[in-house]
Amino acid sequence: MKKALVIIALSISVVSCNKATEVKEVKTAYVDTSVLMKEYTEAKDLEAKYKAQAEEKGRQLQAEITRFKQDAANFQSQAQANGQQWAQQRGAELQKREQQLGYAQQALSQQLQQESGTEMDSLVSGVKKFIKEYGKKNGYAYIYGTGDAATILYAEDKFDITKDIIKALNEKYQATPKTDAKPAVKEEAKK
């Protein structure tokens, strides 16, 4: 009985091995996301926009810091001439101003990070959507991402479509009208 089962199992496996299996080629590719973000015109424009804003707002704050430093230098020279009570009062005022300037620097940095982060998230979301549509349109089963957050450890260069994606994204970006309006921020549902 056992021999019969073994013979049947072997004959089934031999028959099934002889059947030609159809292998459908799966079209795959990858995009180097770090190169994409360095060469995508909209990403460059966004980076330049926030760099310019940081420089402009930083200049305003730096002027205030310079005035503070001058006042602090004058304080030391005037402290002996005006007495201890004046020096204590003026010293407290200067410390308060120094603290306020520190808070202003921190607030400026946080504001710029938040604004640029919101726009960068929107940009990344748009790029992902574009790559998805590009993949569907061009018959890809998978498009992987490499770069800073690598999800692929190795891939042949012939599967790299980064330049194609950059070209298509830049063409799309250049074709859209430019506006200075900020993107709408989603409001949280009110409870």
Side-chain angles (χ1 to χ4, degrees), residues 100-155:
Q100 288 172 337
L101 287 171
Y103 290 148
Q105 282 180 311
Q106 188 176 14
L108 175 63
S109 175
Q110 287 176 345
Q111 176 191 6
L112 289 172
Q113 282 180 343
Q114 185 178 11
E115 289 175 5
S116 68
T118 301
E119 284 193 59
M120 188 56 81
D121 288 348
S122 176
L123 179 121
V124 168
S125 178
V127 167
K128 285 181 181 178
K129 182 179 177 185
F130 180 86
I131 291 172
K132 184 177 180 179
E133 291 169 2
Y134 183 93
K136 285 181 182 179
K137 178 182 167 188
N138 292 291
Y140 287 98
Y142 298 98
I143 296 179
Y144 301 100
T146 66
D148 295 333
T151 53
I152 296 177
L153 299 176
Y154 171 77

Side-chain angles (χ1 to χ4, degrees), residues 70-89:
Q70 289 172 346
D71 289 348
N74 291 337
F75 165 76
Q76 291 181 353
S77 64
Q78 294 174 354
Q80 288 181 337
N82 292 326
Q84 185 177 359
Q85 185 178 0
W86 180 89
Q88 287 176 342
Q89 181 182 359

Side-chain angles (χ1 to χ4, degrees), residues 4 11 21 34 60-61 73 78 86 95 112 123 125 174 186:
S11 60
T21 56
S34 60
Q60 295 168 356
L61 191 58
Q78 294 174 354
W86 180 89
Q95 283 181 332
L112 289 172
L123 179 121
S125 178
Q174 290 169 353
K186 295 178 185 176

Side-chain angles (χ1 to χ4, degrees), residues 56-72 93-94 96-98 100-102 104-105:
E56 174 62 30
K57 291 179 180 182
R59 272 194 296 273
Q60 295 168 356
L61 191 58
Q62 191 60 42
E64 186 64 32
I65 290 170
T66 302
R67 280 193 296 274
F68 168 77
K69 287 180 180 179
Q70 289 172 346
D71 289 348
E93 290 172 8
L94 286 173
K96 185 177 180 182
R97 256 179 76 194
E98 182 179 31
Q100 288 172 337
L101 287 171
Q105 282 180 311

